[in-house]
Amino acid sequence: MKVSIQVRLKNGILDPQGKTVNNALHHLGFKNIQNVRIGKLIEFDIREADKKKASVIIEDACKKLLSNPVIEDFSYVLGED
Amino acid sequence: MKVSIQVRLKNGILDPQGKTVNNALHHLGFKNIQNVRIGKLIEFDIREADKKKASVIIEDACKKLLSNPVIEDFSYVLGED
């Protein structure tokens, strides 16, 4: 089963990388783009046909390794294989 | 309008970061996870009500700054404001 995880900085957490990209875009003339935030996209295959069981594993992996729960939130989508 | 851009390494491009995360997951006991690939998630607001015009701007920004077209592909979703 394909899994796509999106990890975002929580609201209110400063995002210097996003700020830098925001400035770069403005310098390139993209003045109508604002509030840039950069997150992570983590995709993998999971050998688990049961969606419920897969979800448990994914959330466990997110909490233990893939995200920093103090400053980040995650969401995920389970796809077809 | 909210924009969410996903930037992924093209198929066949080596992903050392993904490989490292893959190994780390295995060491933590997540043996049924494989083929980890890490991408970028770029989100921003765009002051452009017209979806077609917004798409042109977004694709331009992706090609000029947000992705490296040689090794990366991008896709995006336009959301409500």
Side-chain angles (χ1 to χ4, degrees), chain A:
Chain A
M1 199 182 292
K2 299 256 176 229
V3 182
S4 180
I5 299 173
Q6 301 190 325
V7 179
R8 295 177 178 83
L9 283 172
K10 289 187 195 221
N11 286 337
I13 301 285
L14 211 64
D15 181 359
Q17 198 187 353
K19 187 80 189 155
T20 305
V21 170
N22 203 114
N23 290 345
L25 284 167
H26 282 208
H27 282 123
L28 286 172
F30 298 98
K31 303 281 187 198
N32 46 7
I33 289 176
Q34 52 197 1
N35 303 325
V36 180
R37 306 279 285 176
I38 312 277
K40 276 179 294 181
L41 181 69
I42 304 164
E43 297 182 314
F44 52 77
D45 298 321
I46 185 165
R47 278 198 311 271
E48 175 56 71
D50 186 274
K51 286 205 171 186
K52 238 178 197 166
K53 283 185 194 164
S55 297
V56 172
I57 296 169
I58 294 161
E59 289 181 25
D60 196 25
C62 282
K63 283 173 195 158
K64 282 188 182 154
L65 183 77
L66 303 177
S67 78
N68 176 350
V70 179
I71 57 166
E72 291 171 331
D73 287 321
F74 64 87
S75 60
Y76 58 91
V77 182
L78 290 172
E80 307 312 307
D81 197 18

